[in-house]
Amino acid sequence: MTSPTPPADAHPYLRAASAGVRHHTRALTPSDTGPPPPADRPHLDVLHAHLTAVHQLLDRLAETTRPPHPAAGRRLAAAHTHLWQAASEVHAAFHLLPSSTTAGTEASTCRPERLPKGPPVLTICQRHLAAGHVIRRKTTPADLRAHTTACAR
């Protein structure tokens, strides 16, 4: 019989990602040099990537936890849905910020029909639509009633 992995040695990449988020949060705290700059599109794109990665992790954890521990699996599935809602709001905020490349609305418009060959700025939309397919497959419409999963901006 093997002993459980000590918490300090378990999941080092997840711990490193969490430490990175904590460090970034501290860096955004107002200091003597003035307030931090507001969020920009690249910042929200990276944050959206992080949220969708955690969303995938929660999806897999919910799937593997539900059979032996149904109540815990349901809680993880609920967290999966809430994290999707957070990612959806970050995606919406991304499209509300001005583009750094052009002042026109063409760069800030999410047009799914152009995604396979679209401009690099739309990678957040590609990621968001891919995560949307997963959430629609595994979540009831009632759970998502308040949030849209379409990229309609």
Side-chain angles (χ1 to χ4, degrees):
M1 188 166 170
T2 61
S3 62
T5 306
D9 298 330
H11 314 291
Y13 296 115
L14 191 56
R15 285 187 312 132
S18 298
V21 170
R22 284 191 304 272
H23 173 76
H24 187 73
T25 301
R26 280 192 302 272
L28 288 175
T29 304
S31 64
D32 295 337
T33 60
D40 58 4
R41 286 181 136 204
H43 190 173
L44 292 185
D45 185 33
V46 172
L47 180 59
H48 187 270
H50 185 76
L51 289 172
T52 54
V54 175
H55 181 256
Q56 272 187 325
L57 176 61
L58 272 174
D59 181 40
R60 294 210 178 115
L61 286 173
E63 280 181 11
T64 59
T65 304
R66 188 173 283 151
H69 307 288
R74 282 191 302 273
R75 290 294 185 157
L76 290 173
H80 176 254
T81 301
H82 292 304
L83 193 57
W84 164 254
Q85 293 167 343
S88 188
E89 294 301 324
V90 168
H91 176 252
F94 174 90
H95 285 291
L96 293 174
L97 291 176
S99 173
S100 60
T101 57
T102 63
T105 59
E106 182 66 24
S108 65
T109 303
C110 183
R111 298 175 59 191
E113 70 275 6
R114 289 184 35 200
L115 289 181
K117 297 178 185 172
V121 73
L122 294 182
T123 56
I124 187 173
C125 300
Q126 292 170 327
R127 185 183 327 110
H128 193 70
L129 290 172
H133 290 298
V134 171
I135 196 77
R136 279 188 223 104
R137 232 182 30 246
K138 298 183 178 202
T139 309
T140 65
D143 291 336
L144 297 172
R145 188 176 330 141
H147 296 273
T148 181
T149 59
C151 186
R153 287 172 178 65

